[in-house]
Amino acid sequence: MTKIMFVCLGNICRSPMAEFLMRDLVEKLGRGDEFCIASAATSTWEIGNGVHRGTREVLLAQGIDPSKKRAVLLTKKDCSAYDYIIGMEMTNVKDILRIADNADAHKVCRLLDFTDTPADIDDPWYTGDFETTFREVSAGIRGLLSHIDAQK
Ligand code: 4NP
């Protein structure tokens, strides 16, 4: 079982998009049982709130209903329990390492570090451009799956 935790600032835009798209990807491959996939926030700002409308629209267009998801805060325990702790941007990586007390640092990176074009995924909370987020997250999760498969 590979345990993957996606992380962003609020856990309402980028990381839930990654969580639901990754779960959809592996389930469509008939490999859902191989993975435990979750997402969490580095800030308390949106804890308990549902996904942002922009992310919900992107996911609904893919036939995915994220209505049950609520934002949760990343814990130190999560960092030890999961195999991959994947931020969306460098600030997330710094905040994850702070929450983890700098333990488990080898598990922490950005989602687009699994692609040929490592970069931050800009926050659509500020840009309003959820389609770009969708394209970047989709590329990232495919790269992540290839990376995981190459480890076997
Ligand atoms: P996310 O986006 O980190 O991709 O979920 C944000 C959501 C909420 C806020 C900032 C970013 N906020 O300021 O509340």
Side-chain angles (χ1 to χ4, degrees):
M1 170 80 75
T2 303
K3 300 185 75 178
I4 303 165
M5 175 66 80
F6 294 107
V7 179
C8 63
L9 182 61
N11 193 213
I12 60 167
C13 299
R14 294 163 293 176
S15 63
M17 193 187 291
E19 173 190 347
F20 281 91
L21 289 175
M22 183 79 188
R23 192 175 295 120
D24 186 62
L25 175 64
V26 297
E27 280 176 0
K28 282 184 174 143
L29 292 168
R31 298 179 56 190
D33 293 349
E34 293 176 37
F35 298 91
C36 170
I37 302 166
S39 68
T42 58
S43 78
T44 56
W45 302 343
E46 299 284 352
I47 299 310
N49 292 342
V51 301
H52 189 287
R53 181 174 43 84
T55 287
R56 192 169 66 241
E57 284 171 2
V58 159
L59 292 173
L60 286 173
Q62 301 301 311
I64 302 167
D65 176 11
S67 59
K68 292 198 174 73
K69 168 67 183 171
R70 293 291 176 273
V72 295
L73 189 63
L74 182 72
T75 65
K76 187 176 181 187
K77 204 169 156 189
D78 292 328
C79 296
S80 64
Y82 281 80
D83 303 308
Y84 291 88
I85 321 289
I86 302 175
M88 301 296 131
E89 58 179 291
M90 243 355 147
T91 310
N92 303 146
V93 168
K94 281 187 205 136
D95 289 337
I96 294 165
L97 293 174
R98 173 179 50 76
I99 290 166
D101 275 343
N102 286 314
D104 303 301
H106 62 286
K107 303 176 180 178
V108 184
C109 63
R110 297 175 300 181
L111 184 55
L112 291 184
D113 291 339
F114 295 105
T115 71
D116 294 336
T117 51
D120 288 348
I121 294 180
D122 289 338
D123 197 332
W125 169 268
Y126 299 109
T127 67
D129 184 357
F130 286 80
E131 284 302 320
T132 295
T133 311
F134 172 62
R135 281 195 300 277
E136 292 177 345
V137 167
S138 297
I141 60 170
R142 281 178 173 74
L144 170 60
L145 185 59
S146 300
H147 169 85
I148 290 168
D149 287 343
Q151 304 300 302
K152 289 182 178 157

